[in-house]
Amino acid sequence: MDKLSSEIRSEFLRFFKNNGCVVVPSDSLIPAGDKTLLFTSAGMVQFKQHFLGQSKDSFTKAASCQKCFRTSDIEQVGTTARHLTFFEMLGNFSFGDYFKKEAAAWAWEFLTKNMSLPKDKLYITVYKDDDEAAEIWKVIAPSNRIIRMNEETNFWNMGDVGPCGPCSEILIDLGRETGCGSSACSPSCSCGRYLEIWNLVFTQFDRQSDGSLRNLPKKNIDTGMGLERLIAATNGKKNVFDTDLFMPIIESAAEILKIKNEGKDMPKLRMIADHSRAATFLISDGILPSNEGRGYVLRRILRRALRQGKFYGYGRPFINEIVLPVFKIMESAYPELSSKLSSIRYVIKTEEEKFLETLESGSEMLSGIISSYKSKGLNVVGGKDVFKLYDTYGFPHDLTKEIASENGLGIDEDGFKSEQKTAREKSRAAWGGSGEKDMTFYSILRKKTGDTAFAGYDDYVSEGRVLALIKTDKEVGELRAGESGGIILSQTSFYAQSGGQDADKGKIANGSFESDVEDVLKPVGNLFVHKVKILKGLVKIGDTVSAIIDVERRMQIARHHTTAHLLHKALRETFGEHIAQAGSLVARDYFRFDFTHFSAVKKNDLIGLEKKVNCIIRSNLEVRIKTMAAAEARSAGAIALFGEKYGEEVRTVSVKNKDGNGNYSMELCGGTHVGRTGDIGIFKITAESSIAAGIRRIEAVAGVAAENYILNEEAATVMTAEILNVAKEELINKARKFVIDYKKLESELGSLRSSQILDKIDSYAKDIKCVNGINFLSAMVGETDVKSLRNISDQLKEKLKSVVLLIVSKNESKAFFIVSATLDCVRKGVDAGKIAKAFAATINGSGGGKPDFAQGGSKDLSNLSNAIKNAQELL
């Protein structure tokens, strides 16, 4: 009987716990505190600070099962036995604790005893110069199964300089039938016969700029083993997809698509299974489909999976249904999926619906592009256009090539590949982090200065020593009046920008100098960088200075931050436990709170939220801040907030119940807060909107900002009443009357314009053309509205009896159009909706509708005249 994935995952963690390792939960797929990475791609990512000796955690050895995501081999997913985008990496780690001997012995013991892998099928590779590792392995395994390999495969480097070291890999022989068939086939062969199961990295050197290696003072262990590969090997499977992690998902997809998991259909089903798992976890960790960064990658894998359904003629959303078996398989290991399941499915289904619509639009757009190229006498479709179809509409490159060929055109292959290469770097190019260069600069600086002590929770003024000064990304010895730069202190009262909360502002000064603090950042760890403008005097390294924050600004931000917690609680009480924070900004003038929810929040619900939060404010409940063990906080029901990384000890912010027993709300948070809810004053919601599929945003104000907002609203009401010369009480009735009168005048003006245009019906009718046996007429009329265009259309159809019409109107900034077809033309196969989409594509606009009537528009007027001139080619 096969060993289940849940058993193997648990057994690995239990094994290393019994060997003294602290079991650390999986980090998010969004790497906490590392701006250089888009995704968590290995188990060691969350332990970077531990390896650098900069973590506050007390443990020196750990084990984890880490969610990982990579796209480096995305084109191979489904076609090979082992490539995946989403996978779980089992790992054990040592931060200056155990080293090679223990790592090798434990790995061998776990694989051969706990997993019962046959020893005669296992091979070990070592770095060619790592005699120490080779001797250790000789005690464990036969010498003929230990193979020395070169630097390319068995030496790990963080970069050109810095920590590095040799590694050992444990591979399993899957059998001669899975390989290349060569008599010389060995573990060094890349044919697939020898599957890497576990990689043990021995980080023992520090590479210098001249290439030389120095021993690290503390040697580390970083191992990684793909859970999916281990399950396959343990159960004698040749393919990771033939395990309990994938088979229920594959079977579900096959049932929906009405195909079998065999032959040529297997790779597509496997890709769908992998991408469905990836999308589920990416969305669970707060990533949403978009056109940049992480969201861009998510959108691409969803579209790749959905396109497989289209290949089988399945034109409906289905990936959201496959999330259900993913959830059933993974729920026990990742219970947080339970509260997010509805939201995940909603986001995926919404994205699927959009893509199916744009895929159809892509067909129409290609038709428009081909017409445009033909009209210009060009016979090769540009790479940029081919890539736009592929990237924006998910239109396969080979299908574009095939359709273009049918129309006597080729495609620019080199141009397409160039655009594709540029797009691969799009997410990183658009990435808003400080970048690897800045991270490296500040990491080196932090080694010299150490972390900054934060005194700002208790003190608004603190003394500190100047440890470093920065000007234009370089260390300097002093900063003078008129200059801007960065100051790093030994201790500060300034809160640095983090957790969605804005930084403090204020002054850093002493008797001989003064500066304005304009921002405070934490680029790495707890290194506080104060961005300053020197007002007078000069400051030098070693000076003792006072850090003085703007207290009123701090208090107003604190009011907003505590209110954000109250709003979060009120949302969960109102709509349910699926509500989760998806982002926030806590500033002085307002705050915004992003959360997962399926639909717009109704006006009555917004009023209810306001009342609920203001009731808690008036109750003047105690806000209690306490530091405790992370496990204790989780068991007490504390909610972890978006984008934060937590250590062994966490800071909790609790709003106590009225009787002081228990909590109204409890969250893990490093921000600043009021002492009692009554200190907030008043709360007012100012806006509610959608920012992405399944994500809503509430903008609000509290305290002084709320008072100012209400006063401004009142002033606007009074001023409007004065302008209209009416009492405030009559303002609504007066406004309604003005709207009615305006609409009446607008209608009369429209009628006048229409009558003027209708006088030209006969002149428009003269331009009719016959295209493939169908009468076609395109016309540009004067500035008017859609209602008038319909009227013109009806008049022309009445006059001409059988016709397809394209009627366009424009003003200075935009154009809109209608496409209309008489019933006999529709019966001949004319589809006004498709024509509208294709025409819209030629003017960078949008359009669509029914076979007999459609409409659209564009803000790009540059190609309008030419598009109208060539519109007959759309028939």
Side-chain angles (χ1 to χ4, degrees):
M1 185 176 177
D2 284 356
K3 207 162 191 174
L4 298 176
S5 56
S6 56
E7 296 173 3
I8 293 175
R9 187 189 291 111
S10 297
E11 194 164 346
F12 175 86
L13 296 175
R14 186 165 55 250
F15 176 86
F16 280 98
K17 183 178 181 181
N18 292 339
N19 280 291
C21 294
V22 172
V23 174
V24 180
S26 173
D27 196 9
S28 166
L29 287 171
I30 304 174
D34 191 334
K35 299 174 184 178
T36 68
L37 297 176
L38 277 179
F39 300 103
T40 298
S41 57
M44 61 81 63
V45 170
Q46 71 164 314
F47 297 114
K48 275 190 174 182
Q49 299 303 315
H50 298 75
F51 284 120
L52 295 171
Q54 297 169 352
S55 173
K56 293 182 178 179
D57 291 332
S58 58
F59 58 80
T60 56
K61 48 188 178 181
S64 69
C65 178
Q66 174 64 50
K67 298 176 292 185
C68 297
F69 181 78
R70 297 177 184 172
T71 57
S72 53
D73 299 313
I74 192 169
E75 299 299 334
Q76 294 178 274
V77 172
T79 63
T80 71
R82 62 186 187 274
H83 286 105
L84 303 167
T85 58
F86 173 81
F87 59 97
E88 296 174 84
M89 185 174 283
L90 303 171
N92 57 290
F93 309 91
S94 168
F95 318 115
D97 195 296
Y98 67 86
F99 199 45
K100 293 180 186 179
K101 184 177 180 181
E102 295 86 347
W106 287 342
W108 189 259
E109 179 184 351
F110 180 76
L111 291 178
T112 59
K113 292 185 178 179
N114 295 68
M115 296 293 104
S116 302
L117 293 186
K119 295 179 181 179
D120 61 347
K121 295 290 185 183
L122 297 179
Y123 289 81
I124 295 107
T125 67
V126 297
Y127 177 54
K128 61 184 179 65
D129 296 331
D130 192 358
D131 296 333
E132 180 187 7
E135 291 304 314
I136 290 170
W137 281 116
K138 283 179 183 177
V139 178
I140 297 171
S143 297
N144 63 351
R145 294 191 174 272
I146 302 168
I147 300 159
R148 293 183 184 250
M149 298 186 73
N150 61 26
E151 189 168 351
E152 185 178 336
T153 60
N154 281 65
F155 198 95
W156 176 83
N157 294 284
M158 181 178 284
D160 293 335
V161 297
C164 59
C167 59
S168 279
E169 293 179 347
I170 303 176
L171 303 93
I172 188 167
D173 183 357
L174 297 178
R176 181 171 294 179
E177 69 278 8
T178 64
C180 59
S182 169
S183 58
C185 186
S186 72
S188 62
C189 185
S190 59
C191 66
R193 173 180 171 179
Y194 296 91
L195 177 70
E196 177 198 330
I197 298 179
W198 209 334
N199 188 17
L200 317 179
V201 178
F202 312 127
T203 314
Q204 63 187 94
F205 300 120
D206 185 3
R207 189 181 294 277
Q208 305 302 299
S209 56
D210 62 1
S212 62
L213 300 176
R214 292 183 184 176
N215 286 317
L216 286 170
K218 287 187 177 181
K219 299 176 181 180
N220 303 317
I221 291 290
D222 162 23
T223 85
M225 171 166 56
L227 173 64
E228 296 79 5
R229 294 186 181 192
L230 177 62
I231 296 167
T234 300
N235 292 310
K237 309 292 185 184
K238 310 293 185 185
N239 196 305
V240 297
F241 295 100
D242 294 336
T243 65
D244 69 322
L245 283 176
F246 289 95
M247 284 310 299
I249 309 171
I250 290 171
E251 289 165 0
S252 176
E255 183 179 352
I256 291 171
L257 299 177
K258 303 285 191 291
I259 58 176
K260 292 183 178 180
N261 181 29
E262 57 186 37
K264 61 182 175 55
D265 296 330
M266 288 173 64
K268 295 184 184 300
L269 287 170
R270 290 169 176 175
M271 185 219 285
I272 290 169
D274 169 80
H275 287 12
S276 299
R277 282 171 22 114
T280 298
F281 279 92
L282 289 170
I283 295 168
S284 173
D285 282 349
I287 299 167
L288 296 168
S290 70
N291 286 325
E292 62 181 30
R294 298 177 179 118
Y296 177 75
V297 178
L298 170 60
R299 172 163 283 167
R300 290 297 308 280
I301 66 164
L302 273 173
R303 292 186 169 190
R304 286 186 93 239
L306 186 61
R307 207 160 54 227
Q308 307 314 307
K310 288 288 287 182
F311 179 84
Y312 293 106
Y314 195 86
R316 300 193 301 277
F318 71 95
I319 305 299
N320 69 93
E321 296 178 46
I322 297 174
V323 169
L324 290 172
V326 175
F327 167 71
K328 289 176 183 176
I329 294 165
M330 307 299 282
E331 181 191 15
S332 61
Y334 303 97
E336 67 271 15
L337 287 174
S338 182
S339 64
K340 299 175 181 178
L341 179 61
S342 297
S343 178
I344 292 168
R345 293 192 66 199
Y346 176 85
V347 170
I348 291 177
K349 187 176 182 182
T350 302
E351 181 66 15
E352 288 184 282
E353 289 170 344
K354 286 180 181 177
F355 178 53
L356 288 171
E357 184 178 323
T358 55
L359 193 58
E360 185 178 343
S361 300
S363 300
E364 306 303 329
M365 184 176 181
L366 177 56
S367 176
I369 288 171
I370 289 172
S371 296
S372 176
Y373 273 81
K374 280 187 169 183
S375 69
K376 296 172 184 176
L378 302 174
N379 56 15
V380 176
V381 180
K384 195 168 186 178
D385 285 326
V386 177
F387 183 75
K388 183 178 181 182
L389 284 164
Y390 170 76
D391 190 52
T392 305
Y393 295 94
F395 210 76
H397 152 262
D398 55 351
L399 185 56
T400 300
K401 184 176 181 179
E402 183 180 325
I403 295 172
S405 177
E406 290 171 358
N407 286 271
L409 301 179
I411 65 170
D412 177 7
E413 295 279 7
D414 291 339
F416 171 75
K417 289 174 183 176
S418 176
E419 293 288 332
Q420 193 174 37
K421 183 179 179 182
T422 301
R424 286 196 185 105
E425 300 170 3
K426 178 179 179 181
S427 53
R428 285 183 174 82
W431 196 236
S434 63
E436 192 167 356
K437 182 180 177 182
D438 287 347
M439 290 284 286
T440 302
F441 171 73
Y442 286 115
S443 294
I444 294 171
L445 192 56
R446 184 183 177 209
K447 285 182 180 180
K448 293 168 59 177
T449 64
D451 282 331
T452 307
F454 179 59
Y457 287 136
D458 303 309
D459 300 315
Y460 297 151
V461 179
S462 64
E463 275 199 353
R465 193 164 57 85
V466 177
L467 301 179
L469 296 169
I470 304 162
K471 183 179 177 183
T472 59
D473 295 329
K474 293 180 180 178
E475 286 188 74
V476 294
E478 61 182 34
L479 289 173
R480 294 178 173 274
E483 293 182 329
S484 295
I487 298 179
I488 296 174
L489 303 176
S490 58
Q491 177 176 269
T492 186
S493 292
F494 283 87
Y495 183 88
Q497 191 183 117
S498 61
Q501 179 176 320
D502 266 2
D504 285 326
K505 292 186 178 181
K507 294 186 182 297
I508 294 177
N510 61 20
S512 60
F513 110 102
E514 182 181 337
S515 67
D516 268 342
V517 178
E518 299 171 340
D519 200 1
V520 188
L521 306 175
K522 280 201 298 184
V524 289
N526 284 316
L527 182 74
F528 286 56
V529 180
H530 305 78
K531 300 289 186 179
V532 301
K533 171 82 171 179
I534 309 299
L535 301 179
K536 67 177 185 179
L538 78 151
V539 59
K540 302 190 299 294
I541 293 174
D543 286 355
T544 298
V545 298
S546 295
I548 310 157
I549 70 167
D550 180 337
V551 178
E552 179 45 45
R553 174 186 168 85
R554 162 72 74 85
M555 290 307 301
Q556 181 55 29
I557 289 175
R559 293 183 191 107
H560 278 153
H561 205 150
T562 304
T563 308
H565 285 215
L566 299 181
L567 175 60
H568 190 185
K569 176 67 175 180
L571 283 164
R572 291 170 72 89
E573 286 183 334
T574 302
F575 298 115
E577 295 299 303
H578 72 277
I579 296 288
Q581 181 177 332
S584 69
L585 172 66
V586 180
R588 177 178 186 162
D589 298 328
Y590 81 110
F591 75 92
R592 68 174 185 240
F593 188 85
D594 302 338
F595 58 97
T596 55
H597 192 49
F598 318 129
S599 58
V601 181
K602 296 176 182 176
K603 188 174 182 180
N604 286 342
D605 287 328
L606 290 173
I607 293 171
L609 289 167
E610 275 189 359
K611 288 182 175 180
K612 193 182 285 281
V613 172
N614 279 314
C615 179
I616 298 299
I617 290 171
R618 288 193 300 274
S619 297
N620 199 28
L621 303 180
E622 179 191 359
V623 179
R624 187 176 298 174
I625 295 172
K626 184 179 179 182
T627 299
M628 62 179 71
E632 181 187 352
R634 281 193 292 269
S635 64
I639 297 174
L641 294 189
F642 178 84
E644 287 295 290
K645 171 71 175 171
Y646 304 100
E648 287 181 289
E649 281 199 333
V650 294
R651 185 173 182 264
T652 63
V653 177
S654 305
V655 178
K656 309 302 291 183
N657 288 323
K658 285 184 181 180
D659 60 6
N661 296 318
N663 302 313
Y664 171 71
S665 78
M666 183 181 188
E667 300 189 358
L668 306 186
C669 181
T672 59
H673 292 269
V674 298
R676 304 192 73 90
T677 60
D679 298 338
I680 294 168
I682 190 170
F683 164 69
K684 179 69 180 169
I685 293 173
T686 60
E688 191 274 343
S689 61
S690 169
I691 61 167
I695 301 293
R696 308 300 300 182
R697 169 174 290 172
I698 285 180
E699 296 180 37
V701 285
V704 175
E707 291 173 18
N708 292 337
Y709 178 84
I710 292 167
L711 287 172
N712 289 337
E713 290 283 292
E714 173 68 13
T717 302
V718 170
M719 186 177 293
T720 305
E722 289 176 354
I723 291 169
L724 298 177
N725 194 26
V726 66
K728 278 199 305 180
E729 294 74 18
E730 291 298 316
L731 186 57
I732 293 174
N733 290 333
K734 189 75 170 179
R736 283 178 179 150
K737 184 176 184 305
F738 268 116
V739 171
I740 292 169
D741 291 345
Y742 175 80
K743 286 183 177 179
K744 183 180 178 182
L745 290 170
E746 191 178 45
S747 177
E748 290 173 356
L749 179 61
S751 297
L752 179 62
R753 284 176 173 165
S754 293
S755 64
Q756 292 173 337
I757 293 172
L758 287 172
D759 289 340
K760 299 180 181 179
I761 287 292
D762 288 339
S763 64
Y764 294 143
K766 291 177 182 177
D767 293 328
I768 193 167
K769 299 174 184 176
C770 184
V771 182
N772 298 325
I774 294 173
N775 291 328
F776 180 78
L777 174 62
S778 61
M780 170 82 82
V781 302
E783 183 179 342
T784 187
D785 55 21
V786 173
K787 184 179 179 181
S788 298
L789 289 185
R790 278 179 175 267
N791 195 6
I792 296 167
S793 168
D794 291 342
Q795 294 282 338
L796 283 168
K797 284 195 291 185
E798 178 66 27
K799 183 177 180 67
L800 300 171
K801 305 304 181 184
S802 175
V803 70
V804 177
L805 300 168
L806 169 65
I807 306 173
V808 185
S809 174
K810 71 168 184 174
N811 56 29
E812 291 181 356
S813 60
K814 63 182 178 180
F816 56 94
F817 63 88
I818 64 167
V819 179
S820 181
T822 53
L823 186 57
D824 66 305
C825 292
V826 173
R827 287 173 179 160
K828 291 178 182 178
V830 170
D831 188 327
K834 290 184 176 180
I835 294 172
K837 285 183 179 179
F839 180 73
T842 64
I843 57 173
N844 292 319
S846 60
K850 298 178 180 178
D852 63 332
F853 182 84
Q855 62 188 47
S858 175
K859 293 182 179 179
D860 184 352
L861 306 181
S862 60
N863 190 46
L864 184 61
S865 297
N866 189 51
I868 295 171
K869 180 181 176 182
N870 297 306
Q872 66 194 48
E873 296 181 15
L874 300 176
L875 274 181

